[in-house]
Amino acid sequence: MTRTGFYPGSFDPVTYGHLDIITRAARLFDKLVVAVGRNHDKTGLLDVDTRLQVLEAALAPIRERVDCDIQLARYSILTVDAAKAAGAVAIVRGLRDGGDFTYEVRMAQTNAALNDTIETVFLAASPAARMISSSLIRQIAEMGGDIGQFVPMEAAEAVKAALARDAAP
Ligand code: ADP
């Protein structure tokens, strides 16, 4: 039986923190669906097509290293419904700190109330990636800072292009 995990997120942009979770989750499942969804609390910078293109490029070296079928998807329905449609047994989420814990446990309990056949699995952020968040990356880039140490090259380029586009008259 193929065990499928479902890793949902905004990935705006994907960071080394996300890639760390993907690499580690890929060791737990036969198949991992990394899915770009819409977070109603967040305003986006990159469009979903760009987020997926950046993810595709960033996943290439990981796919070579792990024995897991990593697929990309997008969804605009409930996360549990998207996970179920993907045939997943579990939703994967990352935990960085107490703020994540409070939010993520609430989400997991809500998702379990909506569909108790899909478990949520939490992976603790690796120490080196713990402080990275996409929102912080967007803020640093907006202020002209170098985000190269936090995100893969394709992500840094896409963020730069999106900011230049937004700044154009
Ligand atoms: P969402 O809008 O769904 O929170 P994000 O792309 O911000 O989407 O995050 C997706 C998941 O990845 C969340 O579970 C988040 O806690 C986790 N995550 C984000 N950054 C990191 C990181 N640096 N280390 C570990 N997990 C992370």
Side-chain angles (χ1 to χ4, degrees):
M1 190 182 110
T2 303
R3 292 218 157 250
T4 301
F6 188 85
Y7 181 33
S10 304
F11 304 107
D12 185 28
V14 66
T15 69
Y16 286 134
H18 294 123
L19 295 178
D20 175 60
I21 297 292
I22 291 170
T23 305
R24 290 162 56 207
R27 298 190 192 116
L28 302 176
F29 299 98
D30 306 304
K31 179 175 170 184
L32 182 69
V33 179
V34 179
V36 179
R38 188 158 156 247
N39 185 329
H40 288 267
D41 296 334
K42 296 180 182 174
T43 38
L45 174 65
L46 304 180
D47 60 49
V48 172
D49 284 336
T50 305
R51 293 181 209 184
L52 285 164
Q53 280 163 17
V54 170
L55 269 161
E56 188 66 48
L59 286 181
I62 297 176
R63 283 192 174 115
E64 280 176 23
R65 288 207 308 272
V66 296
D67 186 20
C68 175
D69 175 16
I70 306 177
Q71 298 289 334
L72 281 176
R74 71 174 77 203
Y75 71 101
S76 50
I77 55 177
L78 282 174
T79 299
V80 272
D81 291 343
K84 187 158 189 248
V89 292
I91 292 168
V92 176
R93 298 287 287 179
L95 287 182
R96 284 163 295 190
D97 54 20
D100 273 358
F101 180 85
T102 305
Y103 173 78
E104 295 291 346
V105 169
R106 205 173 57 218
M107 282 303 297
Q109 288 170 345
T110 307
N111 285 334
L114 292 169
N115 185 333
D116 66 2
T117 65
I118 296 179
E119 204 53 68
T120 298
V121 173
F122 299 114
L123 296 183
S126 294
R130 209 181 144 216
M131 78 300 192
I132 307 175
S133 74
S134 297
S135 57
L136 202 59
I137 299 302
R138 294 195 300 272
Q139 282 174 37
I140 295 170
E142 263 170 48
M143 307 301 254
D146 180 7
I147 56 173
Q149 62 178 305
F150 308 117
V151 299
M153 191 187 64
E154 299 81 8
E157 282 169 1
V159 166
K160 210 170 150 191
L163 289 172
R165 178 204 61 206
D166 289 355

